PDB file of all heavy atoms in Angstrom:
ATOM      1  N   SER A 708       0.854  -1.116  -0.046  1.00  0.00           N
ATOM      2  CA  SER A 708      -0.090  -0.069   0.077  1.00  0.00           C
ATOM      3  C   SER A 708       0.847   1.187   0.040  1.00  0.00           C
ATOM      4  O   SER A 708       2.029   1.176   0.325  1.00  0.00           O
ATOM      5  CB  SER A 708      -0.875  -0.041   1.287  1.00  0.00           C
ATOM      6  OG  SER A 708      -0.182   0.266   2.435  1.00  0.00           O
ATOM      7  N   TRP A 709       0.254   2.367  -0.385  1.00  0.00           N
ATOM      8  CA  TRP A 709       1.086   3.654  -0.369  1.00  0.00           C
ATOM      9  C   TRP A 709       1.521   3.971   1.067  1.00  0.00           C
ATOM     10  O   TRP A 709       2.596   4.632   1.290  1.00  0.00           O
ATOM     11  CB  TRP A 709       0.305   4.782  -1.009  1.00  0.00           C
ATOM     12  CG  TRP A 709      -0.959   5.228  -0.274  1.00  0.00           C
ATOM     13  CD1 TRP A 709      -2.103   4.765  -0.466  1.00  0.00           C
ATOM     14  CD2 TRP A 709      -0.928   6.277   0.821  1.00  0.00           C
ATOM     15  NE1 TRP A 709      -3.004   5.362   0.457  1.00  0.00           N
ATOM     16  CE2 TRP A 709      -2.273   6.402   1.189  1.00  0.00           C
ATOM     17  CE3 TRP A 709       0.007   7.038   1.143  1.00  0.00           C
ATOM     18  CZ2 TRP A 709      -2.719   7.275   2.135  1.00  0.00           C
ATOM     19  CZ3 TRP A 709      -0.399   7.944   2.217  1.00  0.00           C
ATOM     20  CH2 TRP A 709      -1.738   8.123   2.714  1.00  0.00           C
ATOM     21  N   VAL A 710       0.718   3.657   2.071  1.00  0.00           N
ATOM     22  CA  VAL A 710       1.036   3.939   3.419  1.00  0.00           C
ATOM     23  C   VAL A 710       2.387   3.194   3.891  1.00  0.00           C
ATOM     24  O   VAL A 710       3.248   3.738   4.472  1.00  0.00           O
ATOM     25  CB  VAL A 710       0.050   3.603   4.507  1.00  0.00           C
ATOM     26  CG1 VAL A 710       0.345   3.707   5.844  1.00  0.00           C
ATOM     27  CG2 VAL A 710      -1.390   4.452   4.137  1.00  0.00           C
ATOM     28  N   GLU A 711       2.393   1.893   3.347  1.00  0.00           N
ATOM     29  CA  GLU A 711       3.595   1.069   3.672  1.00  0.00           C
ATOM     30  C   GLU A 711       4.808   1.720   2.921  1.00  0.00           C
ATOM     31  O   GLU A 711       5.973   1.735   3.571  1.00  0.00           O
ATOM     32  CB  GLU A 711       3.462  -0.269   3.181  1.00  0.00           C
ATOM     33  CG  GLU A 711       2.457  -1.114   4.004  1.00  0.00           C
ATOM     34  CD  GLU A 711       2.132  -2.474   3.564  1.00  0.00           C
ATOM     35  OE1 GLU A 711       1.813  -2.447   2.215  1.00  0.00           O
ATOM     36  OE2 GLU A 711       2.022  -3.459   4.239  1.00  0.00           O
ATOM     37  N   LYS A 712       4.598   2.124   1.733  1.00  0.00           N
ATOM     38  CA  LYS A 712       5.712   2.688   0.978  1.00  0.00           C
ATOM     39  C   LYS A 712       6.294   3.993   1.682  1.00  0.00           C
ATOM     40  O   LYS A 712       7.419   4.225   1.809  1.00  0.00           O
ATOM     41  CB  LYS A 712       5.332   2.939  -0.482  1.00  0.00           C
ATOM     42  CG  LYS A 712       4.937   1.726  -1.373  1.00  0.00           C
ATOM     43  CD  LYS A 712       4.442   2.057  -2.612  1.00  0.00           C
ATOM     44  CE  LYS A 712       3.922   0.817  -3.212  1.00  0.00           C
ATOM     45  NZ  LYS A 712       3.174   1.096  -4.590  1.00  0.00           N
ATOM     46  N   VAL A 713       5.350   4.904   1.942  1.00  0.00           N
ATOM     47  CA  VAL A 713       5.744   6.104   2.562  1.00  0.00           C
ATOM     48  C   VAL A 713       6.417   5.908   3.970  1.00  0.00           C
ATOM     49  O   VAL A 713       7.452   6.520   4.356  1.00  0.00           O
ATOM     50  CB  VAL A 713       4.385   7.027   2.825  1.00  0.00           C
ATOM     51  CG1 VAL A 713       4.940   8.314   3.736  1.00  0.00           C
ATOM     52  CG2 VAL A 713       3.963   7.537   1.371  1.00  0.00           C
ATOM     53  N   ALA A 714       5.858   4.972   4.747  1.00  0.00           N
ATOM     54  CA  ALA A 714       6.460   4.508   5.999  1.00  0.00           C
ATOM     55  C   ALA A 714       7.910   3.996   5.920  1.00  0.00           C
ATOM     56  O   ALA A 714       8.796   4.453   6.565  1.00  0.00           O
ATOM     57  CB  ALA A 714       5.675   3.505   6.716  1.00  0.00           C
ATOM     58  N   ILE A 715       8.193   3.261   4.837  1.00  0.00           N
ATOM     59  CA  ILE A 715       9.618   2.631   4.545  1.00  0.00           C
ATOM     60  C   ILE A 715      10.499   3.890   4.143  1.00  0.00           C
ATOM     61  O   ILE A 715      11.565   4.003   4.720  1.00  0.00           O
ATOM     62  CB  ILE A 715       9.571   1.579   3.401  1.00  0.00           C
ATOM     63  CG1 ILE A 715       8.758   0.372   3.916  1.00  0.00           C
ATOM     64  CG2 ILE A 715      10.958   1.379   2.951  1.00  0.00           C
ATOM     65  CD1 ILE A 715       8.617  -0.720   2.894  1.00  0.00           C
ATOM     66  N   VAL A 716      10.079   4.794   3.341  1.00  0.00           N
ATOM     67  CA  VAL A 716      10.723   5.844   2.870  1.00  0.00           C
ATOM     68  C   VAL A 716      11.127   6.763   4.111  1.00  0.00           C
ATOM     69  O   VAL A 716      12.255   7.157   4.387  1.00  0.00           O
ATOM     70  CB  VAL A 716      10.172   6.755   1.719  1.00  0.00           C
ATOM     71  CG1 VAL A 716      10.898   7.962   1.605  1.00  0.00           C
ATOM     72  CG2 VAL A 716      10.139   5.884   0.503  1.00  0.00           C
ATOM     73  N   ALA A 717      10.054   7.064   4.930  1.00  0.00           N
ATOM     74  CA  ALA A 717      10.394   7.979   6.178  1.00  0.00           C
ATOM     75  C   ALA A 717      11.144   7.383   7.148  1.00  0.00           C
ATOM     76  O   ALA A 717      12.118   7.874   7.620  1.00  0.00           O
ATOM     77  CB  ALA A 717       9.010   8.249   6.784  1.00  0.00           C
ATOM     78  N   PHE A 718      11.099   5.963   7.289  1.00  0.00           N
ATOM     79  CA  PHE A 718      11.963   5.269   8.323  1.00  0.00           C
ATOM     80  C   PHE A 718      13.403   5.307   7.843  1.00  0.00           C
ATOM     81  O   PHE A 718      14.270   5.448   8.625  1.00  0.00           O
ATOM     82  CB  PHE A 718      11.471   3.835   8.436  1.00  0.00           C
ATOM     83  CG  PHE A 718      12.428   2.916   9.280  1.00  0.00           C
ATOM     84  CD1 PHE A 718      12.432   3.044  10.561  1.00  0.00           C
ATOM     85  CD2 PHE A 718      13.453   2.210   8.593  1.00  0.00           C
ATOM     86  CE1 PHE A 718      13.423   2.311  11.294  1.00  0.00           C
ATOM     87  CE2 PHE A 718      14.313   1.494   9.308  1.00  0.00           C
ATOM     88  CZ  PHE A 718      14.321   1.580  10.651  1.00  0.00           C
ATOM     89  N   MET A 719      13.652   5.127   6.431  1.00  0.00           N
ATOM     90  CA  MET A 719      14.924   5.116   5.929  1.00  0.00           C
ATOM     91  C   MET A 719      15.587   6.516   6.121  1.00  0.00           C
ATOM     92  O   MET A 719      16.821   6.594   6.252  1.00  0.00           O
ATOM     93  CB  MET A 719      14.957   4.604   4.518  1.00  0.00           C
ATOM     94  CG  MET A 719      14.738   3.137   4.410  1.00  0.00           C
ATOM     95  SD  MET A 719      15.641   2.078   5.475  1.00  0.00           S
ATOM     96  CE  MET A 719      17.368   2.327   4.785  1.00  0.00           C
ATOM     97  N   VAL A 720      14.829   7.549   5.879  1.00  0.00           N
ATOM     98  CA  VAL A 720      15.439   8.853   6.033  1.00  0.00           C
ATOM     99  C   VAL A 720      15.834   9.014   7.511  1.00  0.00           C
ATOM    100  O   VAL A 720      17.042   9.505   7.754  1.00  0.00           O
ATOM    101  CB  VAL A 720      14.417   9.962   5.714  1.00  0.00           C
ATOM    102  CG1 VAL A 720      14.863  11.338   6.134  1.00  0.00           C
ATOM    103  CG2 VAL A 720      14.107   9.968   4.169  1.00  0.00           C
ATOM    104  N   LEU A 721      15.056   8.559   8.465  1.00  0.00           N
ATOM    105  CA  LEU A 721      15.547   8.713   9.861  1.00  0.00           C
ATOM    106  C   LEU A 721      16.618   7.815  10.171  1.00  0.00           C
ATOM    107  O   LEU A 721      17.674   8.202  10.841  1.00  0.00           O
ATOM    108  CB  LEU A 721      14.312   8.381  10.786  1.00  0.00           C
ATOM    109  CG  LEU A 721      13.194   9.388  10.749  1.00  0.00           C
ATOM    110  CD1 LEU A 721      11.988   8.841  11.571  1.00  0.00           C
ATOM    111  CD2 LEU A 721      13.584  10.705  11.311  1.00  0.00           C
ATOM    112  N   PHE A 722      16.543   6.547   9.652  1.00  0.00           N
ATOM    113  CA  PHE A 722      17.781   5.640   9.741  1.00  0.00           C
ATOM    114  C   PHE A 722      19.074   6.132   9.289  1.00  0.00           C
ATOM    115  O   PHE A 722      19.978   6.004   9.875  1.00  0.00           O
ATOM    116  CB  PHE A 722      17.436   4.281   9.089  1.00  0.00           C
ATOM    117  CG  PHE A 722      18.562   3.403   9.038  1.00  0.00           C
ATOM    118  CD1 PHE A 722      18.937   2.589  10.210  1.00  0.00           C
ATOM    119  CD2 PHE A 722      19.361   3.297   7.922  1.00  0.00           C
ATOM    120  CE1 PHE A 722      20.050   1.776  10.101  1.00  0.00           C
ATOM    121  CE2 PHE A 722      20.460   2.511   7.893  1.00  0.00           C
ATOM    122  CZ  PHE A 722      20.842   1.657   8.875  1.00  0.00           C
ATOM    123  N   MET A 723      18.951   6.766   8.066  1.00  0.00           N
ATOM    124  CA  MET A 723      20.079   7.329   7.478  1.00  0.00           C
ATOM    125  C   MET A 723      20.758   8.398   8.209  1.00  0.00           C
ATOM    126  O   MET A 723      21.912   8.721   8.280  1.00  0.00           O
ATOM    127  CB  MET A 723      19.842   7.974   6.026  1.00  0.00           C
ATOM    128  CG  MET A 723      19.685   6.753   5.138  1.00  0.00           C
ATOM    129  SD  MET A 723      21.043   5.664   5.075  1.00  0.00           S
ATOM    130  CE  MET A 723      22.461   6.637   4.512  1.00  0.00           C
ATOM    131  N   GLU A 724      19.924   9.286   8.964  1.00  0.00           N
ATOM    132  CA  GLU A 724      20.422  10.302   9.791  1.00  0.00           C
ATOM    133  C   GLU A 724      21.399   9.665  10.932  1.00  0.00           C
ATOM    134  O   GLU A 724      22.359  10.083  11.189  1.00  0.00           O
ATOM    135  CB  GLU A 724      19.437  11.267  10.443  1.00  0.00           C
ATOM    136  CG  GLU A 724      19.873  12.328  11.419  1.00  0.00           C
ATOM    137  CD  GLU A 724      20.860  13.363  10.890  1.00  0.00           C
ATOM    138  OE1 GLU A 724      21.141  13.390   9.665  1.00  0.00           O
ATOM    139  OE2 GLU A 724      21.366  14.183  11.593  1.00  0.00           O
ATOM    140  N   CYS A 725      20.829   8.589  11.489  1.00  0.00           N
ATOM    141  CA  CYS A 725      21.501   7.827  12.509  1.00  0.00           C
ATOM    142  C   CYS A 725      22.872   7.290  11.975  1.00  0.00           C
ATOM    143  O   CYS A 725      23.814   7.249  12.618  1.00  0.00           O
ATOM    144  CB  CYS A 725      20.601   6.751  13.259  1.00  0.00           C
ATOM    145  SG  CYS A 725      19.132   7.476  14.039  1.00  0.00           S
ATOM    146  N   PHE A 726      22.675   6.619  10.786  1.00  0.00           N
ATOM    147  CA  PHE A 726      23.899   5.997  10.156  1.00  0.00           C
ATOM    148  C   PHE A 726      24.809   7.108   9.815  1.00  0.00           C
ATOM    149  O   PHE A 726      26.002   6.896  10.083  1.00  0.00           O
ATOM    150  CB  PHE A 726      23.361   5.317   8.836  1.00  0.00           C
ATOM    151  CG  PHE A 726      24.559   4.815   8.041  1.00  0.00           C
ATOM    152  CD1 PHE A 726      25.181   3.527   8.456  1.00  0.00           C
ATOM    153  CD2 PHE A 726      25.131   5.618   7.023  1.00  0.00           C
ATOM    154  CE1 PHE A 726      26.223   3.190   7.655  1.00  0.00           C
ATOM    155  CE2 PHE A 726      26.136   5.051   6.243  1.00  0.00           C
ATOM    156  CZ  PHE A 726      26.725   3.869   6.537  1.00  0.00           C
ATOM    157  N   ALA A 727      24.478   8.159   9.286  1.00  0.00           N
ATOM    158  CA  ALA A 727      25.394   9.278   8.859  1.00  0.00           C
ATOM    159  C   ALA A 727      26.022   9.802  10.152  1.00  0.00           C
ATOM    160  O   ALA A 727      27.225   9.996  10.150  1.00  0.00           O
ATOM    161  CB  ALA A 727      24.602  10.439   8.343  1.00  0.00           C
ATOM    162  N   TRP A 728      25.328  10.035  11.221  1.00  0.00           N
ATOM    163  CA  TRP A 728      26.022  10.476  12.558  1.00  0.00           C
ATOM    164  C   TRP A 728      27.056   9.480  12.982  1.00  0.00           C
ATOM    165  O   TRP A 728      28.226   9.883  13.169  1.00  0.00           O
ATOM    166  CB  TRP A 728      24.954  10.472  13.629  1.00  0.00           C
ATOM    167  CG  TRP A 728      25.517  10.873  14.896  1.00  0.00           C
ATOM    168  CD1 TRP A 728      25.836  12.103  15.458  1.00  0.00           C
ATOM    169  CD2 TRP A 728      25.974  10.002  15.940  1.00  0.00           C
ATOM    170  NE1 TRP A 728      26.471  12.140  16.658  1.00  0.00           N
ATOM    171  CE2 TRP A 728      26.567  10.808  16.987  1.00  0.00           C
ATOM    172  CE3 TRP A 728      26.108   8.599  16.023  1.00  0.00           C
ATOM    173  CZ2 TRP A 728      27.064  10.262  18.145  1.00  0.00           C
ATOM    174  CZ3 TRP A 728      26.636   8.126  17.214  1.00  0.00           C
ATOM    175  CH2 TRP A 728      27.195   8.833  18.208  1.00  0.00           C
ATOM    176  N   ALA A 729      26.739   8.121  12.894  1.00  0.00           N
ATOM    177  CA  ALA A 729      27.731   7.136  13.440  1.00  0.00           C
ATOM    178  C   ALA A 729      28.908   7.124  12.441  1.00  0.00           C
ATOM    179  O   ALA A 729      30.143   6.998  12.739  1.00  0.00           O
ATOM    180  CB  ALA A 729      27.099   5.762  13.498  1.00  0.00           C
ATOM    181  N   ALA A 730      28.628   7.101  11.024  1.00  0.00           N
ATOM    182  CA  ALA A 730      29.717   7.102  10.074  1.00  0.00           C
ATOM    183  C   ALA A 730      30.637   8.314  10.190  1.00  0.00           C
ATOM    184  O   ALA A 730      31.766   8.167  10.085  1.00  0.00           O
ATOM    185  CB  ALA A 730      29.170   6.951   8.705  1.00  0.00           C
ATOM    186  N   HIS A 731      30.038   9.523  10.413  1.00  0.00           N
ATOM    187  CA  HIS A 731      30.813  10.720  10.469  1.00  0.00           C
ATOM    188  C   HIS A 731      31.669  10.663  11.626  1.00  0.00           C
ATOM    189  O   HIS A 731      32.946  11.054  11.609  1.00  0.00           O
ATOM    190  CB  HIS A 731      29.747  11.944  10.386  1.00  0.00           C
ATOM    191  CG  HIS A 731      30.489  13.136  10.347  1.00  0.00           C
ATOM    192  ND1 HIS A 731      29.889  14.369  10.714  1.00  0.00           N
ATOM    193  CD2 HIS A 731      31.775  13.579   9.997  1.00  0.00           C
ATOM    194  CE1 HIS A 731      30.787  15.437  10.482  1.00  0.00           C
ATOM    195  NE2 HIS A 731      31.808  14.842  10.157  1.00  0.00           N
ATOM    196  N   LYS A 732      31.193  10.302  12.723  1.00  0.00           N
ATOM    197  CA  LYS A 732      31.842  10.282  14.148  1.00  0.00           C
ATOM    198  C   LYS A 732      32.868   9.167  14.183  1.00  0.00           C
ATOM    199  O   LYS A 732      34.016   9.448  14.592  1.00  0.00           O
ATOM    200  CB  LYS A 732      30.858  10.202  15.269  1.00  0.00           C
ATOM    201  CG  LYS A 732      31.605  10.248  16.683  1.00  0.00           C
ATOM    202  CD  LYS A 732      30.548  10.279  17.733  1.00  0.00           C
ATOM    203  CE  LYS A 732      31.233  10.219  19.179  1.00  0.00           C
ATOM    204  NZ  LYS A 732      31.805  11.550  19.466  1.00  0.00           N
ATOM    205  N   TYR A 733      32.489   7.892  13.729  1.00  0.00           N
ATOM    206  CA  TYR A 733      33.437   6.864  14.027  1.00  0.00           C
ATOM    207  C   TYR A 733      34.196   6.347  12.835  1.00  0.00           C
ATOM    208  O   TYR A 733      35.302   5.800  13.012  1.00  0.00           O
ATOM    209  CB  TYR A 733      32.705   5.679  14.532  1.00  0.00           C
ATOM    210  CG  TYR A 733      32.070   5.962  15.921  1.00  0.00           C
ATOM    211  CD1 TYR A 733      30.654   6.129  16.030  1.00  0.00           C
ATOM    212  CD2 TYR A 733      32.798   6.160  17.030  1.00  0.00           C
ATOM    213  CE1 TYR A 733      30.113   6.521  17.293  1.00  0.00           C
ATOM    214  CE2 TYR A 733      32.263   6.407  18.339  1.00  0.00           C
ATOM    215  CZ  TYR A 733      30.899   6.596  18.367  1.00  0.00           C
ATOM    216  OH  TYR A 733      30.360   6.959  19.561  1.00  0.00           O
ATOM    217  N   VAL A 734      33.754   6.748  11.617  1.00  0.00           N
ATOM    218  CA  VAL A 734      34.552   6.291  10.436  1.00  0.00           C
ATOM    219  C   VAL A 734      35.344   7.552   9.949  1.00  0.00           C
ATOM    220  O   VAL A 734      36.589   7.532   9.831  1.00  0.00           O
ATOM    221  CB  VAL A 734      33.724   5.802   9.339  1.00  0.00           C
ATOM    222  CG1 VAL A 734      34.457   5.440   7.940  1.00  0.00           C
ATOM    223  CG2 VAL A 734      32.991   4.425   9.841  1.00  0.00           C
ATOM    224  N   MET A 735      34.664   8.733   9.586  1.00  0.00           N
ATOM    225  CA  MET A 735      35.317   9.814   9.053  1.00  0.00           C
ATOM    226  C   MET A 735      36.128  10.506  10.041  1.00  0.00           C
ATOM    227  O   MET A 735      37.191  11.079   9.517  1.00  0.00           O
ATOM    228  CB  MET A 735      34.171  10.834   8.592  1.00  0.00           C
ATOM    229  CG  MET A 735      33.427  10.169   7.311  1.00  0.00           C
ATOM    230  SD  MET A 735      32.132  11.367   6.923  1.00  0.00           S
ATOM    231  CE  MET A 735      31.224  10.402   5.764  1.00  0.00           C
ATOM    232  N   HIS A 736      35.771  10.594  11.317  1.00  0.00           N
ATOM    233  CA  HIS A 736      36.650  11.050  12.311  1.00  0.00           C
ATOM    234  C   HIS A 736      37.493  10.009  12.985  1.00  0.00           C
ATOM    235  O   HIS A 736      38.012  10.272  14.019  1.00  0.00           O
ATOM    236  CB  HIS A 736      35.943  11.966  13.260  1.00  0.00           C
ATOM    237  CG  HIS A 736      35.524  13.382  12.720  1.00  0.00           C
ATOM    238  ND1 HIS A 736      36.325  14.401  12.959  1.00  0.00           N
ATOM    239  CD2 HIS A 736      34.633  13.604  11.812  1.00  0.00           C
ATOM    240  CE1 HIS A 736      35.777  15.476  12.240  1.00  0.00           C
ATOM    241  NE2 HIS A 736      34.725  15.006  11.610  1.00  0.00           N
ATOM    242  N   GLY A 737      37.599   8.875  12.444  1.00  0.00           N
ATOM    243  CA  GLY A 737      38.301   7.699  13.003  1.00  0.00           C
ATOM    244  C   GLY A 737      39.198   7.220  11.847  1.00  0.00           C
ATOM    245  O   GLY A 737      39.933   7.885  11.353  1.00  0.00           O
ATOM    246  N   TRP A 738      39.099   5.918  11.533  1.00  0.00           N
ATOM    247  CA  TRP A 738      40.040   5.282  10.625  1.00  0.00           C
ATOM    248  C   TRP A 738      39.873   5.711   9.185  1.00  0.00           C
ATOM    249  O   TRP A 738      40.767   5.627   8.469  1.00  0.00           O
ATOM    250  CB  TRP A 738      39.849   3.770  10.594  1.00  0.00           C
ATOM    251  CG  TRP A 738      38.406   3.246  10.415  1.00  0.00           C
ATOM    252  CD1 TRP A 738      37.508   2.920  11.208  1.00  0.00           C
ATOM    253  CD2 TRP A 738      37.937   2.885   9.043  1.00  0.00           C
ATOM    254  NE1 TRP A 738      36.385   2.498  10.625  1.00  0.00           N
ATOM    255  CE2 TRP A 738      36.572   2.529   9.286  1.00  0.00           C
ATOM    256  CE3 TRP A 738      38.390   3.116   7.762  1.00  0.00           C
ATOM    257  CZ2 TRP A 738      35.787   2.156   8.249  1.00  0.00           C
ATOM    258  CZ3 TRP A 738      37.514   2.638   6.735  1.00  0.00           C
ATOM    259  CH2 TRP A 738      36.251   2.278   7.004  1.00  0.00           C
ATOM    260  N   GLY A 739      38.721   6.571   8.834  1.00  0.00           N
ATOM    261  CA  GLY A 739      38.547   7.002   7.503  1.00  0.00           C
ATOM    262  C   GLY A 739      38.944   8.446   7.349  1.00  0.00           C
ATOM    263  O   GLY A 739      38.545   9.187   6.412  1.00  0.00           O
ATOM    264  N   TRP A 740      39.769   8.966   8.381  1.00  0.00           N
ATOM    265  CA  TRP A 740      40.054  10.448   8.351  1.00  0.00           C
ATOM    266  C   TRP A 740      40.965  10.751   7.081  1.00  0.00           C
ATOM    267  O   TRP A 740      40.893  11.997   6.699  1.00  0.00           O
ATOM    268  CB  TRP A 740      40.918  10.728   9.617  1.00  0.00           C
ATOM    269  CG  TRP A 740      41.388  12.103   9.703  1.00  0.00           C
ATOM    270  CD1 TRP A 740      42.688  12.557   9.652  1.00  0.00           C
ATOM    271  CD2 TRP A 740      40.608  13.243   9.960  1.00  0.00           C
ATOM    272  NE1 TRP A 740      42.750  13.897   9.745  1.00  0.00           N
ATOM    273  CE2 TRP A 740      41.485  14.367  10.070  1.00  0.00           C
ATOM    274  CE3 TRP A 740      39.245  13.455  10.071  1.00  0.00           C
ATOM    275  CZ2 TRP A 740      41.049  15.694  10.138  1.00  0.00           C
ATOM    276  CZ3 TRP A 740      38.818  14.858  10.194  1.00  0.00           C
ATOM    277  CH2 TRP A 740      39.675  15.909  10.327  1.00  0.00           C
ATOM    278  N   GLY A 741      41.613   9.919   6.530  1.00  0.00           N
ATOM    279  CA  GLY A 741      42.417  10.102   5.403  1.00  0.00           C
ATOM    280  C   GLY A 741      41.561  10.868   4.208  1.00  0.00           C
ATOM    281  O   GLY A 741      42.149  11.766   3.583  1.00  0.00           O
ATOM    282  N   TRP A 742      40.350  10.398   3.982  1.00  0.00           N
ATOM    283  CA  TRP A 742      39.545  11.022   3.038  1.00  0.00           C
ATOM    284  C   TRP A 742      38.836  12.210   3.562  1.00  0.00           C
ATOM    285  O   TRP A 742      38.783  13.255   2.947  1.00  0.00           O
ATOM    286  CB  TRP A 742      38.405  10.083   2.508  1.00  0.00           C
ATOM    287  CG  TRP A 742      38.936   8.967   1.690  1.00  0.00           C
ATOM    288  CD1 TRP A 742      40.190   8.725   1.220  1.00  0.00           C
ATOM    289  CD2 TRP A 742      38.093   7.940   1.009  1.00  0.00           C
ATOM    290  NE1 TRP A 742      40.200   7.631   0.320  1.00  0.00           N
ATOM    291  CE2 TRP A 742      38.953   7.076   0.312  1.00  0.00           C
ATOM    292  CE3 TRP A 742      36.729   7.743   1.088  1.00  0.00           C
ATOM    293  CZ2 TRP A 742      38.382   6.065  -0.456  1.00  0.00           C
ATOM    294  CZ3 TRP A 742      36.181   6.619   0.354  1.00  0.00           C
ATOM    295  CH2 TRP A 742      37.065   5.789  -0.425  1.00  0.00           C
ATOM    296  N   HIS A 743      38.382  12.203   4.769  1.00  0.00           N
ATOM    297  CA  HIS A 743      37.498  13.205   5.351  1.00  0.00           C
ATOM    298  C   HIS A 743      38.366  14.403   5.689  1.00  0.00           C
ATOM    299  O   HIS A 743      37.880  15.561   5.633  1.00  0.00           O
ATOM    300  CB  HIS A 743      36.792  12.694   6.587  1.00  0.00           C
ATOM    301  CG  HIS A 743      35.736  13.706   7.110  1.00  0.00           C
ATOM    302  ND1 HIS A 743      34.686  14.110   6.344  1.00  0.00           N
ATOM    303  CD2 HIS A 743      35.715  14.299   8.377  1.00  0.00           C
ATOM    304  CE1 HIS A 743      33.952  14.934   7.032  1.00  0.00           C
ATOM    305  NE2 HIS A 743      34.424  15.051   8.307  1.00  0.00           N
ATOM    306  N   LYS A 744      39.595  14.235   5.999  1.00  0.00           N
ATOM    307  CA  LYS A 744      40.541  15.427   6.342  1.00  0.00           C
ATOM    308  C   LYS A 744      40.563  16.558   5.324  1.00  0.00           C
ATOM    309  O   LYS A 744      40.471  17.699   5.597  1.00  0.00           O
ATOM    310  CB  LYS A 744      41.897  14.836   6.340  1.00  0.00           C
ATOM    311  CG  LYS A 744      42.953  15.891   6.810  1.00  0.00           C
ATOM    312  CD  LYS A 744      44.337  15.348   6.911  1.00  0.00           C
ATOM    313  CE  LYS A 744      45.335  16.322   7.202  1.00  0.00           C
ATOM    314  NZ  LYS A 744      46.625  15.846   7.234  1.00  0.00           N
ATOM    315  N   SER A 745      40.245  16.139   4.071  1.00  0.00           N
ATOM    316  CA  SER A 745      40.166  17.184   2.890  1.00  0.00           C
ATOM    317  C   SER A 745      38.944  18.114   3.150  1.00  0.00           C
ATOM    318  O   SER A 745      39.027  19.303   2.730  1.00  0.00           O
ATOM    319  CB  SER A 745      40.106  16.610   1.583  1.00  0.00           C
ATOM    320  OG  SER A 745      38.768  15.909   1.423  1.00  0.00           O
TER     321      SER A 745
END
């Protein structure tokens, strides 16, 4: 249903903010600093 589709999209946007926070803090400012330093 369209409700399920919208719910999945909305959930993924929220999930991605959590993922982006963790990736930024622990990867980009951690072992992945070589790329992020720029």
Side-chain angles (χ1 to χ4, degrees):
S708 73
W709 68 271
V710 173
E711 292 170 316
K712 294 172 186 176
V713 169
I715 290 172
V716 170
F718 173 81
M719 289 309 295
V720 169
L721 293 173
F722 170 81
M723 286 306 298
E724 176 65 1
C725 297
F726 173 84
W728 176 87
H731 189 195
K732 183 171 176 73
Y733 297 110
V734 175
M735 294 176 189
H736 282 262
W738 58 267
W740 179 248
W742 285 3
H743 190 61
K744 181 179 179 183
S745 68

